[in-house]
PDB file of all heavy atoms in Angstrom:
ATOM      1  N   ILE G   1       3.550  -9.447  -3.241  1.00 95.00           N
ATOM      2  CA  ILE G   1       2.888  -8.152  -3.449  1.00 95.00           C
ATOM      3  C   ILE G   1       1.953  -7.847  -2.299  1.00 95.00           C
ATOM      4  O   ILE G   1       1.894  -6.731  -1.781  1.00 95.00           O
ATOM      5  CB  ILE G   1       2.132  -8.148  -4.778  1.00 95.00           C
ATOM      6  CG1 ILE G   1       3.112  -8.169  -5.955  1.00 95.00           C
ATOM      7  CG2 ILE G   1       1.208  -6.921  -4.887  1.00 95.00           C
ATOM      8  CD1 ILE G   1       2.456  -8.267  -7.311  1.00 95.00           C
ATOM      9  N   LEU G   2       1.204  -8.863  -1.864  1.00 94.00           N
ATOM     10  CA  LEU G   2       0.273  -8.701  -0.761  1.00 94.00           C
ATOM     11  C   LEU G   2       1.002  -8.316   0.531  1.00 94.00           C
ATOM     12  O   LEU G   2       0.561  -7.424   1.261  1.00 94.00           O
ATOM     13  CB  LEU G   2      -0.521  -9.990  -0.556  1.00 94.00           C
ATOM     14  CG  LEU G   2      -1.728  -9.941   0.367  1.00 94.00           C
ATOM     15  CD1 LEU G   2      -2.753  -8.943  -0.106  1.00 94.00           C
ATOM     16  CD2 LEU G   2      -2.342 -11.333   0.484  1.00 94.00           C
ATOM     17  N   VAL G   3       2.116  -8.966   0.789  1.00 94.00           N
ATOM     18  CA  VAL G   3       2.890  -8.671   2.006  1.00 94.00           C
ATOM     19  C   VAL G   3       3.412  -7.250   1.994  1.00 94.00           C
ATOM     20  O   VAL G   3       3.315  -6.519   3.004  1.00 94.00           O
ATOM     21  CB  VAL G   3       4.056  -9.676   2.165  1.00 94.00           C
ATOM     22  CG1 VAL G   3       5.015  -9.226   3.254  1.00 94.00           C
ATOM     23  CG2 VAL G   3       3.526 -11.082   2.443  1.00 94.00           C
ATOM     24  N   VAL G   4       3.968  -6.828   0.853  1.00 94.00           N
ATOM     25  CA  VAL G   4       4.478  -5.452   0.762  1.00 94.00           C
ATOM     26  C   VAL G   4       3.337  -4.451   0.938  1.00 94.00           C
ATOM     27  O   VAL G   4       3.502  -3.420   1.623  1.00 94.00           O
ATOM     28  CB  VAL G   4       5.190  -5.232  -0.598  1.00 94.00           C
ATOM     29  CG1 VAL G   4       5.577  -3.773  -0.768  1.00 94.00           C
ATOM     30  CG2 VAL G   4       6.423  -6.110  -0.683  1.00 94.00           C
ATOM     31  N   ALA G   5       2.183  -4.719   0.324  1.00 91.00           N
ATOM     32  CA  ALA G   5       1.056  -3.817   0.450  1.00 91.00           C
ATOM     33  C   ALA G   5       0.603  -3.682   1.898  1.00 91.00           C
ATOM     34  O   ALA G   5       0.325  -2.577   2.380  1.00 91.00           O
ATOM     35  CB  ALA G   5      -0.118  -4.313  -0.403  1.00 91.00           C
ATOM     36  N   GLU G   6       0.562  -4.793   2.622  1.00 90.00           N
ATOM     37  CA  GLU G   6       0.122  -4.752   4.015  1.00 90.00           C
ATOM     38  C   GLU G   6       1.160  -4.034   4.888  1.00 90.00           C
ATOM     39  O   GLU G   6       0.812  -3.318   5.837  1.00 90.00           O
ATOM     40  CB  GLU G   6      -0.116  -6.173   4.539  1.00 90.00           C
ATOM     41  CG  GLU G   6      -1.255  -6.904   3.837  1.00 90.00           C
ATOM     42  CD  GLU G   6      -2.594  -6.182   3.931  1.00 90.00           C
ATOM     43  OE1 GLU G   6      -2.804  -5.406   4.880  1.00 90.00           O
ATOM     44  OE2 GLU G   6      -3.428  -6.395   3.038  1.00 90.00           O
ATOM     45  N   ILE G   7       2.455  -4.232   4.602  1.00 91.00           N
ATOM     46  CA  ILE G   7       3.484  -3.532   5.353  1.00 91.00           C
ATOM     47  C   ILE G   7       3.353  -2.023   5.183  1.00 91.00           C
ATOM     48  O   ILE G   7       3.428  -1.245   6.160  1.00 91.00           O
ATOM     49  CB  ILE G   7       4.881  -4.013   4.921  1.00 91.00           C
ATOM     50  CG1 ILE G   7       5.112  -5.460   5.388  1.00 91.00           C
ATOM     51  CG2 ILE G   7       5.981  -3.097   5.484  1.00 91.00           C
ATOM     52  CD1 ILE G   7       6.404  -6.072   4.885  1.00 91.00           C
ATOM     53  N   LEU G   8       3.156  -1.582   3.933  1.00 90.00           N
ATOM     54  CA  LEU G   8       2.994  -0.154   3.670  1.00 90.00           C
ATOM     55  C   LEU G   8       1.726   0.387   4.318  1.00 90.00           C
ATOM     56  O   LEU G   8       1.700   1.510   4.831  1.00 90.00           O
ATOM     57  CB  LEU G   8       2.962   0.104   2.164  1.00 90.00           C
ATOM     58  CG  LEU G   8       4.285  -0.165   1.415  1.00 90.00           C
ATOM     59  CD1 LEU G   8       4.101  -0.022  -0.091  1.00 90.00           C
ATOM     60  CD2 LEU G   8       5.366   0.802   1.910  1.00 90.00           C
ATOM     61  N   TRP G   9       0.672  -0.404   4.298  1.00 86.00           N
ATOM     62  CA  TRP G   9      -0.600  -0.022   4.929  1.00 86.00           C
ATOM     63  C   TRP G   9      -0.410   0.127   6.440  1.00 86.00           C
ATOM     64  O   TRP G   9      -0.873   1.096   7.063  1.00 86.00           O
ATOM     65  CB  TRP G   9      -1.640  -1.076   4.602  1.00 86.00           C
ATOM     66  CG  TRP G   9      -2.988  -1.017   5.258  1.00 86.00           C
ATOM     67  CD1 TRP G   9      -3.658  -2.069   5.818  1.00 86.00           C
ATOM     68  CD2 TRP G   9      -3.852   0.100   5.387  1.00 86.00           C
ATOM     69  NE1 TRP G   9      -4.879  -1.665   6.299  1.00 86.00           N
ATOM     70  CE2 TRP G   9      -5.032  -0.334   6.054  1.00 86.00           C
ATOM     71  CE3 TRP G   9      -3.776   1.448   5.043  1.00 86.00           C
ATOM     72  CZ2 TRP G   9      -6.098   0.491   6.351  1.00 86.00           C
ATOM     73  CZ3 TRP G   9      -4.849   2.298   5.352  1.00 86.00           C
ATOM     74  CH2 TRP G   9      -5.988   1.818   5.997  1.00 86.00           C
ATOM     75  N   CYS G  10       0.320  -0.809   7.057  1.00 86.00           N
ATOM     76  CA  CYS G  10       0.612  -0.715   8.487  1.00 86.00           C
ATOM     77  C   CYS G  10       1.454   0.518   8.806  1.00 86.00           C
ATOM     78  O   CYS G  10       1.256   1.180   9.836  1.00 86.00           O
ATOM     79  CB  CYS G  10       1.331  -1.983   8.963  1.00 86.00           C
ATOM     80  SG  CYS G  10       0.310  -3.469   8.970  1.00 86.00           S
ATOM     81  N   TRP G  11       2.381   0.804   7.921  1.00 88.00           N
ATOM     82  CA  TRP G  11       3.230   1.992   8.114  1.00 88.00           C
ATOM     83  C   TRP G  11       2.379   3.268   8.069  1.00 88.00           C
ATOM     84  O   TRP G  11       2.585   4.173   8.882  1.00 88.00           O
ATOM     85  CB  TRP G  11       4.305   2.040   7.038  1.00 88.00           C
ATOM     86  CG  TRP G  11       5.165   3.272   7.117  1.00 88.00           C
ATOM     87  CD1 TRP G  11       6.250   3.495   7.922  1.00 88.00           C
ATOM     88  CD2 TRP G  11       4.994   4.475   6.357  1.00 88.00           C
ATOM     89  NE1 TRP G  11       6.747   4.742   7.721  1.00 88.00           N
ATOM     90  CE2 TRP G  11       6.017   5.381   6.767  1.00 88.00           C
ATOM     91  CE3 TRP G  11       4.095   4.886   5.384  1.00 88.00           C
ATOM     92  CZ2 TRP G  11       6.142   6.650   6.215  1.00 88.00           C
ATOM     93  CZ3 TRP G  11       4.209   6.150   4.838  1.00 88.00           C
ATOM     94  CH2 TRP G  11       5.212   7.022   5.256  1.00 88.00           C
ATOM     95  N   GLU G  12       1.417   3.310   7.156  1.00 83.00           N
ATOM     96  CA  GLU G  12       0.522   4.473   7.101  1.00 83.00           C
ATOM     97  C   GLU G  12      -0.243   4.644   8.405  1.00 83.00           C
ATOM     98  O   GLU G  12      -0.329   5.741   8.949  1.00 83.00           O
ATOM     99  CB  GLU G  12      -0.498   4.272   5.968  1.00 83.00           C
ATOM    100  CG  GLU G  12      -0.026   4.638   4.584  1.00 83.00           C
ATOM    101  CD  GLU G  12      -1.191   4.718   3.620  1.00 83.00           C
ATOM    102  OE1 GLU G  12      -1.829   5.773   3.540  1.00 83.00           O
ATOM    103  OE2 GLU G  12      -1.464   3.705   2.956  1.00 83.00           O
ATOM    104  N   ILE G  13      -0.798   3.542   8.891  1.00 82.00           N
ATOM    105  CA  ILE G  13      -1.582   3.593  10.108  1.00 82.00           C
ATOM    106  C   ILE G  13      -0.743   4.058  11.301  1.00 82.00           C
ATOM    107  O   ILE G  13      -1.161   4.866  12.121  1.00 82.00           O
ATOM    108  CB  ILE G  13      -2.218   2.236  10.393  1.00 82.00           C
ATOM    109  CG1 ILE G  13      -3.229   1.885   9.283  1.00 82.00           C
ATOM    110  CG2 ILE G  13      -2.897   2.216  11.747  1.00 82.00           C
ATOM    111  CD1 ILE G  13      -3.742   0.485   9.358  1.00 82.00           C
ATOM    112  N   SER G  14       0.473   3.526  11.377  1.00 82.00           N
ATOM    113  CA  SER G  14       1.374   3.920  12.477  1.00 82.00           C
ATOM    114  C   SER G  14       1.726   5.389  12.432  1.00 82.00           C
ATOM    115  O   SER G  14       2.017   5.994  13.461  1.00 82.00           O
ATOM    116  CB  SER G  14       2.641   3.070  12.442  1.00 82.00           C
ATOM    117  OG  SER G  14       3.417   3.374  11.282  1.00 82.00           O
ATOM    118  N   ASN G  15       1.688   5.989  11.243  1.00 81.00           N
ATOM    119  CA  ASN G  15       1.955   7.414  11.077  1.00 81.00           C
ATOM    120  C   ASN G  15       0.673   8.244  11.020  1.00 81.00           C
ATOM    121  O   ASN G  15       0.715   9.425  10.660  1.00 81.00           O
ATOM    122  CB  ASN G  15       2.790   7.637   9.825  1.00 81.00           C
ATOM    123  CG  ASN G  15       4.227   7.209  10.004  1.00 81.00           C
ATOM    124  OD1 ASN G  15       5.058   7.962  10.530  1.00 81.00           O
ATOM    125  ND2 ASN G  15       4.544   5.980   9.579  1.00 81.00           N
ATOM    126  N   LYS G  16      -0.456   7.575  11.328  1.00 73.00           N
ATOM    127  CA  LYS G  16      -1.759   8.259  11.358  1.00 73.00           C
ATOM    128  C   LYS G  16      -2.115   8.911  10.037  1.00 73.00           C
ATOM    129  O   LYS G  16      -2.685  10.007   9.981  1.00 73.00           O
ATOM    130  CB  LYS G  16      -1.812   9.281  12.498  1.00 73.00           C
ATOM    131  CG  LYS G  16      -1.686   8.642  13.889  1.00 73.00           C
ATOM    132  CD  LYS G  16      -1.776   9.690  14.992  1.00 73.00           C
ATOM    133  CE  LYS G  16      -1.856   9.037  16.347  1.00 73.00           C
ATOM    134  NZ  LYS G  16      -0.761   8.135  16.663  1.00 73.00           N
ATOM    135  N   THR G  17      -1.775   8.245   8.929  1.00 68.00           N
ATOM    136  CA  THR G  17      -2.209   8.671   7.610  1.00 68.00           C
ATOM    137  C   THR G  17      -2.823   7.467   6.904  1.00 68.00           C
ATOM    138  O   THR G  17      -2.203   6.422   6.812  1.00 68.00           O
ATOM    139  CB  THR G  17      -1.034   9.183   6.761  1.00 68.00           C
ATOM    140  OG1 THR G  17      -0.044   8.151   6.665  1.00 68.00           O
ATOM    141  CG2 THR G  17      -0.413  10.416   7.376  1.00 68.00           C
ATOM    142  N   THR G  18      -4.073   7.617   6.469  1.00 62.00           N
ATOM    143  CA  THR G  18      -4.749   6.478   5.824  1.00 62.00           C
ATOM    144  C   THR G  18      -5.273   6.914   4.448  1.00 62.00           C
ATOM    145  O   THR G  18      -6.447   6.769   4.145  1.00 62.00           O
ATOM    146  CB  THR G  18      -5.912   5.967   6.703  1.00 62.00           C
ATOM    147  OG1 THR G  18      -6.801   7.074   6.990  1.00 62.00           O
ATOM    148  CG2 THR G  18      -5.399   5.402   7.992  1.00 62.00           C
ATOM    149  N   TYR G  19      -4.391   7.464   3.638  1.00 64.00           N
ATOM    150  CA  TYR G  19      -4.805   7.908   2.317  1.00 64.00           C
ATOM    151  C   TYR G  19      -5.025   6.738   1.370  1.00 64.00           C
ATOM    152  O   TYR G  19      -5.909   6.746   0.530  1.00 64.00           O
ATOM    153  CB  TYR G  19      -3.739   8.845   1.717  1.00 64.00           C
ATOM    154  CG  TYR G  19      -3.522  10.126   2.482  1.00 64.00           C
ATOM    155  CD1 TYR G  19      -2.307  10.777   2.447  1.00 64.00           C
ATOM    156  CD2 TYR G  19      -4.535  10.676   3.236  1.00 64.00           C
ATOM    157  CE1 TYR G  19      -2.097  11.947   3.134  1.00 64.00           C
ATOM    158  CE2 TYR G  19      -4.356  11.853   3.943  1.00 64.00           C
ATOM    159  CZ  TYR G  19      -3.112  12.492   3.888  1.00 64.00           C
ATOM    160  OH  TYR G  19      -2.921  13.647   4.575  1.00 64.00           O
ATOM    161  N   PHE G  20      -4.178   5.727   1.470  1.00 71.00           N
ATOM    162  CA  PHE G  20      -4.199   4.636   0.526  1.00 71.00           C
ATOM    163  C   PHE G  20      -4.345   3.312   1.266  1.00 71.00           C
ATOM    164  O   PHE G  20      -3.390   2.849   1.905  1.00 71.00           O
ATOM    165  CB  PHE G  20      -2.909   4.634  -0.322  1.00 71.00           C
ATOM    166  CG  PHE G  20      -2.640   5.942  -0.989  1.00 71.00           C
ATOM    167  CD1 PHE G  20      -1.554   6.710  -0.626  1.00 71.00           C
ATOM    168  CD2 PHE G  20      -3.483   6.416  -1.964  1.00 71.00           C
ATOM    169  CE1 PHE G  20      -1.311   7.912  -1.234  1.00 71.00           C
ATOM    170  CE2 PHE G  20      -3.246   7.643  -2.575  1.00 71.00           C
ATOM    171  CZ  PHE G  20      -2.163   8.396  -2.217  1.00 71.00           C
ATOM    172  N   VAL G  21      -5.515   2.700   1.168  1.00 72.00           N
ATOM    173  CA  VAL G  21      -5.752   1.445   1.864  1.00 72.00           C
ATOM    174  C   VAL G  21      -5.006   0.315   1.168  1.00 72.00           C
ATOM    175  O   VAL G  21      -4.525   0.463   0.040  1.00 72.00           O
ATOM    176  CB  VAL G  21      -7.276   1.183   1.889  1.00 72.00           C
ATOM    177  CG1 VAL G  21      -7.784   0.790   0.530  1.00 72.00           C
ATOM    178  CG2 VAL G  21      -7.631   0.141   2.937  1.00 72.00           C
ATOM    179  N   ASP G  22      -4.910  -0.839   1.838  1.00 80.00           N
ATOM    180  CA  ASP G  22      -4.086  -1.930   1.330  1.00 80.00           C
ATOM    181  C   ASP G  22      -4.512  -2.400  -0.061  1.00 80.00           C
ATOM    182  O   ASP G  22      -3.657  -2.753  -0.907  1.00 80.00           O
ATOM    183  CB  ASP G  22      -4.083  -3.106   2.300  1.00 80.00           C
ATOM    184  CG  ASP G  22      -5.469  -3.488   2.786  1.00 80.00           C
ATOM    185  OD1 ASP G  22      -6.437  -2.840   2.395  1.00 80.00           O
ATOM    186  OD2 ASP G  22      -5.566  -4.463   3.576  1.00 80.00           O
ATOM    187  N   ILE G  23      -5.787  -2.432  -0.339  1.00 78.00           N
ATOM    188  CA  ILE G  23      -6.255  -2.883  -1.667  1.00 78.00           C
ATOM    189  C   ILE G  23      -5.783  -1.942  -2.762  1.00 78.00           C
ATOM    190  O   ILE G  23      -5.446  -2.344  -3.887  1.00 78.00           O
ATOM    191  CB  ILE G  23      -7.790  -3.050  -1.663  1.00 78.00           C
ATOM    192  CG1 ILE G  23      -8.260  -3.775  -2.929  1.00 78.00           C
ATOM    193  CG2 ILE G  23      -8.490  -1.703  -1.528  1.00 78.00           C
ATOM    194  CD1 ILE G  23      -9.730  -4.133  -2.880  1.00 78.00           C
ATOM    195  N   PHE G  24      -5.742  -0.645  -2.447  1.00 76.00           N
ATOM    196  CA  PHE G  24      -5.231   0.366  -3.379  1.00 76.00           C
ATOM    197  C   PHE G  24      -3.744   0.141  -3.653  1.00 76.00           C
ATOM    198  O   PHE G  24      -3.282   0.121  -4.792  1.00 76.00           O
ATOM    199  CB  PHE G  24      -5.466   1.748  -2.790  1.00 76.00           C
ATOM    200  CG  PHE G  24      -4.978   2.898  -3.626  1.00 76.00           C
ATOM    201  CD1 PHE G  24      -5.858   3.674  -4.329  1.00 76.00           C
ATOM    202  CD2 PHE G  24      -3.629   3.214  -3.684  1.00 76.00           C
ATOM    203  CE1 PHE G  24      -5.406   4.763  -5.105  1.00 76.00           C
ATOM    204  CE2 PHE G  24      -3.161   4.273  -4.432  1.00 76.00           C
ATOM    205  CZ  PHE G  24      -4.063   5.044  -5.142  1.00 76.00           C
ATOM    206  N   ILE G  25      -2.987  -0.053  -2.569  1.00 85.00           N
ATOM    207  CA  ILE G  25      -1.535  -0.228  -2.686  1.00 85.00           C
ATOM    208  C   ILE G  25      -1.224  -1.498  -3.481  1.00 85.00           C
ATOM    209  O   ILE G  25      -0.342  -1.513  -4.347  1.00 85.00           O
ATOM    210  CB  ILE G  25      -0.889  -0.287  -1.297  1.00 85.00           C
ATOM    211  CG1 ILE G  25      -1.156   1.012  -0.525  1.00 85.00           C
ATOM    212  CG2 ILE G  25       0.615  -0.538  -1.402  1.00 85.00           C
ATOM    213  CD1 ILE G  25      -0.761   0.945   0.950  1.00 85.00           C
ATOM    214  N   ALA G  26      -1.958  -2.577  -3.204  1.00 87.00           N
ATOM    215  CA  ALA G  26      -1.728  -3.832  -3.923  1.00 87.00           C
ATOM    216  C   ALA G  26      -1.984  -3.659  -5.419  1.00 87.00           C
ATOM    217  O   ALA G  26      -1.252  -4.209  -6.244  1.00 87.00           O
ATOM    218  CB  ALA G  26      -2.643  -4.927  -3.351  1.00 87.00           C
ATOM    219  N   ALA G  27      -3.013  -2.898  -5.769  1.00 81.00           N
ATOM    220  CA  ALA G  27      -3.329  -2.683  -7.188  1.00 81.00           C
ATOM    221  C   ALA G  27      -2.185  -1.930  -7.877  1.00 81.00           C
ATOM    222  O   ALA G  27      -1.774  -2.293  -8.982  1.00 81.00           O
ATOM    223  CB  ALA G  27      -4.623  -1.884  -7.317  1.00 81.00           C
ATOM    224  N   VAL G  28      -1.672  -0.893  -7.234  1.00 84.00           N
ATOM    225  CA  VAL G  28      -0.588  -0.114  -7.833  1.00 84.00           C
ATOM    226  C   VAL G  28       0.666  -0.972  -7.980  1.00 84.00           C
ATOM    227  O   VAL G  28       1.338  -0.944  -9.010  1.00 84.00           O
ATOM    228  CB  VAL G  28      -0.295   1.142  -6.987  1.00 84.00           C
ATOM    229  CG1 VAL G  28       0.937   1.865  -7.498  1.00 84.00           C
ATOM    230  CG2 VAL G  28      -1.525   2.069  -6.984  1.00 84.00           C
ATOM    231  N   LEU G  29       0.999  -1.741  -6.957  1.00 91.00           N
ATOM    232  CA  LEU G  29       2.182  -2.590  -7.012  1.00 91.00           C
ATOM    233  C   LEU G  29       2.063  -3.628  -8.131  1.00 91.00           C
ATOM    234  O   LEU G  29       3.012  -3.890  -8.858  1.00 91.00           O
ATOM    235  CB  LEU G  29       2.406  -3.296  -5.668  1.00 91.00           C
ATOM    236  CG  LEU G  29       2.833  -2.409  -4.489  1.00 91.00           C
ATOM    237  CD1 LEU G  29       2.870  -3.235  -3.208  1.00 91.00           C
ATOM    238  CD2 LEU G  29       4.176  -1.771  -4.760  1.00 91.00           C
ATOM    239  N   ALA G  30       0.867  -4.226  -8.256  1.00 89.00           N
ATOM    240  CA  ALA G  30       0.648  -5.216  -9.298  1.00 89.00           C
ATOM    241  C   ALA G  30       0.779  -4.605 -10.697  1.00 89.00           C
ATOM    242  O   ALA G  30       1.341  -5.235 -11.601  1.00 89.00           O
ATOM    243  CB  ALA G  30      -0.719  -5.872  -9.124  1.00 89.00           C
ATOM    244  N   LEU G  31       0.262  -3.404 -10.873  1.00 84.00           N
ATOM    245  CA  LEU G  31       0.392  -2.720 -12.155  1.00 84.00           C
ATOM    246  C   LEU G  31       1.860  -2.455 -12.505  1.00 84.00           C
ATOM    247  O   LEU G  31       2.276  -2.593 -13.658  1.00 84.00           O
ATOM    248  CB  LEU G  31      -0.397  -1.407 -12.137  1.00 84.00           C
ATOM    249  CG  LEU G  31      -1.925  -1.521 -12.175  1.00 84.00           C
ATOM    250  CD1 LEU G  31      -2.573  -0.158 -11.909  1.00 84.00           C
ATOM    251  CD2 LEU G  31      -2.399  -2.079 -13.514  1.00 84.00           C
ATOM    252  N   ILE G  32       2.636  -2.099 -11.500  1.00 89.00           N
ATOM    253  CA  ILE G  32       4.062  -1.849 -11.730  1.00 89.00           C
ATOM    254  C   ILE G  32       4.765  -3.160 -12.128  1.00 89.00           C
ATOM    255  O   ILE G  32       5.529  -3.175 -13.104  1.00 89.00           O
ATOM    256  CB  ILE G  32       4.712  -1.272 -10.446  1.00 89.00           C
ATOM    257  CG1 ILE G  32       4.159   0.142 -10.166  1.00 89.00           C
ATOM    258  CG2 ILE G  32       6.241  -1.224 -10.593  1.00 89.00           C
ATOM    259  CD1 ILE G  32       4.594   0.722  -8.845  1.00 89.00           C
ATOM    260  N   VAL G  33       4.494  -4.218 -11.401  1.00 91.00           N
ATOM    261  CA  VAL G  33       5.122  -5.514 -11.702  1.00 91.00           C
ATOM    262  C   VAL G  33       4.741  -5.962 -13.118  1.00 91.00           C
ATOM    263  O   VAL G  33       5.588  -6.444 -13.878  1.00 91.00           O
ATOM    264  CB  VAL G  33       4.697  -6.567 -10.681  1.00 91.00           C
ATOM    265  CG1 VAL G  33       5.131  -7.974 -11.122  1.00 91.00           C
ATOM    266  CG2 VAL G  33       5.296  -6.257  -9.314  1.00 91.00           C
ATOM    267  N   ALA G  34       3.457  -5.832 -13.464  1.00 86.00           N
ATOM    268  CA  ALA G  34       2.987  -6.293 -14.780  1.00 86.00           C
ATOM    269  C   ALA G  34       3.646  -5.542 -15.916  1.00 86.00           C
ATOM    270  O   ALA G  34       3.817  -6.092 -17.013  1.00 86.00           O
ATOM    271  CB  ALA G  34       1.464  -6.133 -14.871  1.00 86.00           C
ATOM    272  N   ASN G  35       4.045  -4.299 -15.687  1.00 86.00           N
ATOM    273  CA  ASN G  35       4.593  -3.482 -16.763  1.00 86.00           C
ATOM    274  C   ASN G  35       6.115  -3.357 -16.735  1.00 86.00           C
ATOM    275  O   ASN G  35       6.692  -2.725 -17.606  1.00 86.00           O
ATOM    276  CB  ASN G  35       3.949  -2.100 -16.737  1.00 86.00           C
ATOM    277  CG  ASN G  35       2.516  -2.115 -17.200  1.00 86.00           C
ATOM    278  OD1 ASN G  35       2.245  -2.099 -18.394  1.00 86.00           O
ATOM    279  ND2 ASN G  35       1.572  -2.187 -16.257  1.00 86.00           N
ATOM    280  N   VAL G  36       6.733  -3.949 -15.724  1.00 89.00           N
ATOM    281  CA  VAL G  36       8.195  -3.934 -15.633  1.00 89.00           C
ATOM    282  C   VAL G  36       8.789  -5.299 -15.884  1.00 89.00           C
ATOM    283  O   VAL G  36       9.857  -5.456 -16.498  1.00 89.00           O
ATOM    284  CB  VAL G  36       8.645  -3.404 -14.249  1.00 89.00           C
ATOM    285  CG1 VAL G  36      10.163  -3.522 -14.101  1.00 89.00           C
ATOM    286  CG2 VAL G  36       8.217  -1.944 -14.077  1.00 89.00           C
TER     287      VAL G  36
END
């Protein structure tokens, strides 16, 4: 989960959009995993 969150965070930065920081992305991914 941490690796995926950081990859998405890096992708945001490379596209000059920083709406969702890595800690935010990790939380959302964890919530999805916990409920699926």
Side-chain angles (χ1 to χ4, degrees):
I1 291 175
L2 191 59
V3 169
V4 173
E6 296 302 334
I7 290 174
L8 293 174
W9 172 226
C10 291
W11 177 83
E12 278 193 86
I13 294 171
S14 66
N15 286 276
K16 296 181 171 57
T17 57
T18 55
Y19 297 153
F20 306 113
V21 72
D22 48 358
I23 191 172
F24 179 105
I25 300 170
V28 173
L29 291 175
L31 288 171
I32 293 172
V33 170
N35 288 277
V36 174

